[in-house]
Amino acid sequence: EAQVTQNPRYLITVTGKKLTVTCSQNMNHEYMSWYRQDPGLGLRQIYYSMNVEVTDKGDVPEGYKVSRKEKRNFPLILESPSPNQTSLYFCASSLGLGVAQYFGPGTRLLVL
Amino acid sequence: AQKVTQAQTEISVVEKEDVTLDCVYETRDTTYYLFWYKQPPSGELVFLIRRNSFDEQNEISGRYSWNFQKSTSSFNFTITASQVVDSAVYFCALSESRMDSSYKLIFGSGTRLLVRP
């Protein structure tokens, strides 16, 4: 089954404790992205990747890191989480520019 | 800069009513793509439609239809004879085609649709 998976689905952590949210897709897509969803703001792009070892900032990259060492994986790293990073995070992948993105199920993060 | 505006924060209708969700976008590019996504209460994001800037033909898919008008920079979504299962948050999104092949997708803030029995 074609899908985008994210882990964990729910996470509660404390300020400053490094965490990684994994994202994996099995559709051989070149493009992958991370978004955060906050009430009243819709989804905002954090980072995206156009291929292995090629990443670029979205609209809200501060406080986040990503890497793309393999085509199927695109982890999101929070080196020192803060409460303002409490949010719902989505990973997405697509075949290319201008085509539909397939979204993962989301990761709900609470930073205390 | 690109921007997507969904002015309707929440809409409530009674089942079987028709409802239109508005989407207005801003872009300086001549080539761009527009999307609609649905987020039901379960939280996942479901792709509904994609339209490129050169195709202004309206589209109908069952009870769903989309009206793309470049003259007013709008890409509105109509649900005919709404059903309770249509209750969800609907997002409009814009992607520009850039010379450097960058890939940014801008979402509107979403419209929450509640369909009451």
Side-chain angles (χ1 to χ4, degrees), chain A residues 90-109:
Chain A
F90 286 98
C91 179
S93 74
S94 69
L95 272 172
L97 182 68
V99 298
Q101 294 192 63
Y102 292 85
F103 284 82
T107 295
R108 194 167 290 279
L109 171 66

Side-chain angles (χ1 to χ4, degrees), chain B residues 5-37:
Chain B
T5 302
Q6 294 180 257
Q8 304 151 308
T9 305
E10 286 192 21
I11 301 175
S12 180
V13 300
V14 176
E15 209 170 18
K16 295 191 176 61
E17 281 186 35
D18 298 348
V19 58
T20 295
L21 310 182
D22 298 333
C23 173
V24 175
Y25 61 92
E26 294 177 29
T27 178
R28 284 178 289 188
D29 283 5
T30 54
T31 301
Y32 52 89
Y33 305 90
L34 295 161
F35 304 84
W36 276 94
Y37 285 87

Side-chain angles (χ1 to χ4, degrees), chain A residues 25-76:
Chain A
Q25 50 94 5
N26 62 2
M27 296 169 278
N28 203 34
H29 286 169
E30 291 193 348
Y31 288 86
M32 297 186 75
S33 295
W34 275 103
Y35 299 87
R36 60 177 290 173
Q37 182 179 5
D38 301 291
L41 297 176
L43 283 87
R44 293 177 293 168
Q45 197 168 32
I46 303 170
Y47 270 95
Y48 60 93
S49 169
M50 293 169 282
N51 213 326
V52 174
E53 302 292 0
V54 181
T55 63
D56 204 353
K57 297 177 181 177
D59 289 320
V60 288
E62 294 76 22
Y64 304 95
K65 283 176 58 177
V66 293
S67 68
R68 187 93 181 271
K69 292 183 168 52
E70 305 166 279
K71 197 172 187 178
R72 64 182 292 128
N73 297 324
F74 190 43
L76 179 69

